[in-house]
């Protein structure tokens, strides 16, 4: 836990008790520092965008806006939210199954680039560009073969998926672009896999993308300015103190850029999880401790309807225990940490060794700033939403859920 989080929790302990605590905490100063480090380590001709779907809450975006090169929207809803709150930012628009109205919205807003997912979408954009009399800045998102390179647990390419164009369709797409002067091909987009924990594999994938684009440029005589290498840098929930070696990765990337014939091509990253995961914490106060058929359970206030990440990723989520002053109800036991839902799937971590535990203690789950609250089935069972507390510059403010998104 960062000092700000620890300090907030100890202050909170001093306050007279209301309802048991159930809250998300976000350390915005830690977020800003982390994002700045990521941005500054990148080689000169690289850009870092934030994929807002990882966590689009207003204070998160406000913190990141001055640090990153821009935001990526994966739906019309995100696009409207980002454009309204950050009209000055560079915006990218991707995602499968875009509505025609969303494509029009993107063109009218003047987004920097639309990531095209299919031939149909390209045709829709050609028609829209002609109707609106607007240039259509675009990238073709490609699903390329990965030639046996190691995959992660979540791959969007190298096998049949709904994402991107099959390279077999590339000649047809390029022919359409060539005959429609409104369509402006800026480059290619690759978001191949998520949960990447190995910098060497990520570099090998990048090299593969660069060479593939090099081949296409030579074969089709293309004049491109950017390659979008997607996001996908992972967070190691199973070994929470280990981090993807971003400085080492950037150093090797610099070398790769020197070695490959890049010309004037820029490289763009659009990371989500790796940027915002570490700043967030989900806190559940222990409501009950019980033994059932030989196994100990701690029931916390909240659950997977607030924090679906461990259930979605099928892991035991890392946590800190913040003890109350009460005498322990158990010592040196393995305890399964669950929430308040009437389903056996409402588990955040199984059989965790715990030295001492009492009702009133706080379970503080780390790495909960990305794909956490916003991927959870929040309405299930009609429990209230958790508090949303943001820490910045030594002060805490809370943001009503609807306003923060
Ligand atoms: C989700 C997504 C991202 C961000 O992925 P992370 O794993 O959070 O970095 C980037 N680009 C596209 C196209 C995505 O769908």
């Amino acid at each position: 836990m960062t000092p700000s989080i620890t300090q907030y929790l100890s202050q909170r302990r001093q306050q007279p008790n209301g309802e048991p605590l159930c809250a998300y905490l976000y350390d915005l100063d830690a977020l800003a520092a982390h994002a700045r480090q990521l941005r500054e380590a990148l080689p000169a001709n690289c850009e870092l965008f934030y994929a807002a779907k990882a966590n689009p809450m207003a204070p998160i975006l406000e913190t990141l806006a001055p640090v990153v090169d821009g935001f990526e929207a994966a739906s019309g809803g995100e696009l409207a939210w980002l454009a309204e709150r950050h009209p000055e930012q560079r915006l990218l628009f991707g995602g499968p199954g875009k509505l025609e109205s969303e494509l029009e919205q993107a063109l009218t807003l003047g987004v920097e680039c639309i990531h095209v997912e299919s031939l149909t979408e390209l045709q829709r954009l050609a028609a829209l560009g002609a109707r609106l009399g607007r240039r259509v800045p675009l990238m073709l998102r490609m699903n390329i073969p990965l030639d046996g390179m190691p995959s992660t647990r979540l791959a969007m390419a190298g096998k049949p998926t709904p994402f991107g164009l099959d390279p077999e369709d590339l000649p047809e797409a390029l022919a359409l672009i060539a005959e429609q002067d409104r369509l402006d091909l800026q480059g290619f987009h690759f978001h191949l896999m998520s949960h990447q924990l190995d910098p060497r594999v990520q570099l090998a994938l990048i090299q593969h993308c660069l060479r593939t684009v090099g081949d296409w440029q030579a074969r089709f005589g293309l004049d491109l300015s950017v390659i979008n290498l997607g996001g996908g840098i992972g967070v190691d929930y199973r070994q929470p103190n280990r981090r993807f070696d971003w400085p080492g990765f950037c150093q090797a990337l610099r070398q790769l850029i020197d070695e490959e014939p890049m010309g004037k091509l820029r490289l763009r990253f659009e990371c989500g999880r790796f940027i915002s995961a570490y700043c967030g914490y989900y806190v559940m106060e222990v409501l009950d401790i019980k033994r059932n058929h030989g196994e100990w359970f701690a029931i916390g206030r909240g659950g997977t309807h607030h924090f679906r990440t461990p259930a979605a990723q099928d892991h035991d989520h890392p946590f800190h225990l913040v003890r109350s002053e009460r005498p322990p109800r158990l010592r040196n036991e393995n305890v399964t940490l669950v929430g308040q839902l009437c389903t056996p799937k409402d588990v955040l971590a199984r059989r965790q060794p715990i030295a001492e535990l009492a009702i009133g203690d706080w379970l503080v789950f780390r790495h909960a700033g990305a794909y956490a609250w916003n991927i959870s089935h929040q309405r299930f069972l009609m429990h209230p939403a958790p508090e949303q507390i943001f820490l910045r510059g030594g002060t805490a403010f809370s943001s009503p859920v609807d306003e923060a998104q």
Side-chain angles (χ1 to χ4, degrees), residues 145-215:
L146 297 181
D147 302 340
M149 286 187 192
S151 184
T152 60
R153 286 183 297 123
L154 194 67
M156 273 69 75
K159 61 177 188 180
T161 72
F163 309 113
L165 275 79
D166 190 308
E168 275 187 16
D169 291 333
L170 184 56
E172 189 177 339
L174 293 174
L176 182 65
I177 290 168
E179 75 198 25
Q180 302 279 339
D181 56 0
R182 303 257 180 221
L183 299 182
D184 175 11
L185 179 68
Q186 300 188 335
F188 290 98
H189 179 285
F190 304 91
H191 177 63
L192 304 175
M193 50 189 79
S194 275
H195 299 295
Q196 181 61 260
L197 296 172
D198 187 339
R200 282 165 309 171
V201 175
Q202 189 68 7
L203 284 159
L205 289 167
I206 291 173
Q207 185 176 50
H208 181 55
C209 293
L210 298 185
R211 293 190 175 167
T212 304
V213 171
D215 289 347

Side-chain angles (χ1 to χ4, degrees), residues 13-253:
R13 272 281 182 230
Q14 313 308 320
Q15 291 168 1
N17 268 350
E19 292 280 18
L21 182 61
C22 178
Y24 271 97
L25 308 178
Y26 303 92
D27 185 336
L28 297 178
D29 297 323
L31 173 64
H34 174 60
R36 203 168 289 120
Q37 278 171 9
L38 301 187
R39 178 66 191 87
E40 285 172 3
L42 277 172
N45 59 339
C46 295
E47 299 174 339
L48 181 64
F49 280 66
Y50 175 59
K53 81 169 188 282
N55 185 336
M57 293 179 121
I60 301 280
L61 297 176
E62 275 154 30
T63 303
L64 291 174
V67 182
V68 296
D69 292 283
F71 294 135
E72 188 249 3
S75 73
E78 281 187 3
L79 187 58
W81 173 253
L82 291 167
E84 183 195 325
R85 306 195 67 96
H86 295 280
E88 77 293 353
Q89 278 288 338
R90 296 163 65 192
L91 296 179
L92 312 173
F93 183 37
K98 300 180 197 73
L99 302 177
E100 281 192 31
S101 57
E102 292 172 331
L103 294 171
E104 179 165 347
Q105 172 195 5
L107 291 179
T108 315
L109 285 169
V111 302
E112 177 153 330
C113 192
I114 298 177
H115 303 152
V116 175
E117 293 272 354
S118 71
L119 286 173
T120 311
E121 203 165 273
L122 191 60
Q123 285 154 358
R124 287 182 180 145
L125 280 170
L128 266 174
R131 178 158 69 73
L132 301 174
R134 279 183 179 264
R135 188 181 73 90
V136 181
L138 64 92
M139 285 192 189
L140 297 175
R141 178 172 180 182
M142 303 303 296
N143 177 351
I144 53 174
L146 297 181
D147 302 340
M149 286 187 192
S151 184
T152 60
R153 286 183 297 123
L154 194 67
M156 273 69 75
K159 61 177 188 180
T161 72
F163 309 113
L165 275 79
D166 190 308
E168 275 187 16
D169 291 333
L170 184 56
E172 189 177 339
L174 293 174
L176 182 65
I177 290 168
E179 75 198 25
Q180 302 279 339
D181 56 0
R182 303 257 180 221
L183 299 182
D184 175 11
L185 179 68
Q186 300 188 335
F188 290 98
H189 179 285
F190 304 91
H191 177 63
L192 304 175
M193 50 189 79
S194 275
H195 299 295
Q196 181 61 260
L197 296 172
D198 187 339
R200 282 165 309 171
V201 175
Q202 189 68 7
L203 284 159
L205 289 167
I206 291 173
Q207 185 176 50
H208 181 55
C209 293
L210 298 185
R211 293 190 175 167
T212 304
V213 171
D215 289 347
W216 290 337
Q217 281 185 297
R219 191 164 132 214
F220 299 107
L222 304 173
D223 180 27
L224 308 173
S225 52
V226 201
I227 301 179
N228 187 322
L229 295 162
I233 307 299
V235 165
D236 198 337
Y237 299 102
R238 291 178 168 85
Q239 293 172 282
N241 294 325
R242 263 209 185 170
R243 285 208 188 173
F244 183 96
D245 176 14
W246 183 260
F249 166 76
C250 289
Q251 209 170 341
L253 178 64

